[in-house]
Amino acid sequence: MPLLLTTIPCLKDNYAFLLHDPASGETALVDAPEAAPILSVLRERGWTLSQILLTHHHSDHVAGAEEIAAATGARILGGASDAHRLPPLQTQLNDGDQVRVGSETAEVISVPGHTIGHIGYHFPVSKYVFTGDSLMAGGCGRLFEGTPKLMWGTLSKLAALPPDTLVCSGHEYTASNLLFAAAVDLNNEALVERIEATSTAVQKGTPTVPSLLSLELATNPFLRAGNPAIADQIGMTGATAAAVFAELRKRKDHF
Ligand code: ZN
Ligand code: FE
């Protein structure tokens, strides 16, 4: 049985996620932008939190972790290479490590680019991947620490997951990401449809995260850097996907 997924809006435009296993009663949190909204959902549901899984060290993903851990007794897990700049970790994780939530085992995936020590969590049975600020809905994170080549490797790895995987990313940036997408992927019917659906969701105040990987593959220009139509549209016909990605990421920074 898949883990129950709850998306919790935090701060201005961040998301945290709760995973709950009805069979064992176990609950885990992915990222902790702030404590109050997360503790309030836990109270409402009557769930006891046992683990906090962190994606990367930026404060909008970790600032609430210690308060939540103190209030619930949950253990904090995060990337080993970032242990020095994350809240105190009970478990340090590396690429390929496994994390257990209830009956399900997740795989830790190294997803550098936005930051170097960034990790993600893939739950193959529930079909969730928690990507933080690496792969995002309609876009990808800014390259604060990594090179375009590093982020392209990360996105290629995530793109190879089963297409019916839900991408649980860290921010509600979808509408502005898709504006950029439309500027570099002119004749993409799936993108036009996604822009319409996103503007409807935004008007209703409905989160557009998580999103299906299949939708990202069809509409996210950063995953589509290998598509000749995009290379043509930005004047890079024949260039490698990695080179097109680097140019797209640069243009997005100034968009
Ligand atoms: Zn970040
Ligand atoms: Fe962030």
Side-chain angles (χ1 to χ4, degrees):
M1 194 167 40
L3 298 169
L4 275 176
L5 177 70
T6 305
T7 304
I8 306 176
C10 293
L11 303 175
K12 190 167 139 268
D13 53 33
N14 277 82
Y15 290 118
F17 302 93
L18 284 176
L19 287 167
H20 178 74
D21 178 36
S24 65
E26 194 182 337
T27 305
L29 171 70
V30 182
D31 277 348
E34 58 175 334
I38 294 164
L39 291 174
S40 119
V41 173
L42 287 168
R43 253 191 317 269
E44 263 167 45
R45 307 274 169 94
W47 292 347
T48 306
L49 189 70
S50 58
Q51 302 182 75
I52 302 171
L53 314 179
L54 300 176
T55 61
H56 68 296
H57 75 285
H58 286 158
S59 71
D60 62 311
H61 297 259
V62 305
E66 286 180 271
E67 187 183 338
I68 295 168
T72 60
R75 301 151 29 78
I76 306 178
L77 298 78
S81 67
D82 271 351
H84 62 287
R85 54 182 185 176
L86 288 169
L89 301 177
Q90 271 77 53
T91 303
Q92 300 190 8
L93 302 169
N94 290 293
D95 187 54
D97 282 353
Q98 296 189 333
V99 171
R100 223 179 149 74
V101 178
S103 53
E104 188 160 351
T105 303
E107 191 192 345
V108 175
I109 332 171
S110 172
V111 291
H114 175 69
T115 67
I116 296 291
H118 199 312
I119 58 173
Y121 302 88
H122 178 226
F123 289 76
V125 174
S126 295
K127 296 181 187 283
Y128 305 140
V129 64
F130 295 89
T131 59
D133 292 352
S134 59
L135 174 60
M136 305 179 87
C140 73
R142 254 174 210 271
L143 305 181
F144 286 118
E145 297 178 356
T147 59
K149 194 174 166 213
L150 211 50
M151 182 61 108
W152 178 246
T154 287
L155 295 182
S156 304
K157 201 155 47 164
L158 293 169
L161 294 176
D164 57 349
T165 303
L166 262 184
V167 179
C168 306
S169 55
H171 290 269
E172 183 62 50
Y173 291 161
T174 318
S176 70
N177 283 341
L178 295 181
L179 272 183
F180 173 74
V184 295
D185 198 6
L186 303 175
N187 302 312
N188 183 342
E189 194 51 46
L191 177 58
V192 172
E193 279 172 33
R194 186 176 190 187
I195 290 170
E196 280 172 26
T198 299
S199 81
T200 307
V202 168
Q203 277 163 26
K204 289 186 186 159
T206 312
T208 63
V209 173
S211 55
L212 270 176
L213 181 58
S214 56
L215 182 63
E216 298 305 330
L217 291 168
T219 59
N220 186 325
F222 297 107
L223 290 182
R224 291 166 51 72
N227 188 303
I230 293 191
D232 290 350
Q233 279 164 41
I234 64 168
M236 291 182 73
T237 303
T240 64
V244 172
F245 169 77
E247 176 63 20
L248 290 173
R249 189 53 262 182
K250 195 162 83 188
R251 289 191 187 198
K252 175 69 163 65
D253 289 343
H254 305 290
F255 185 69

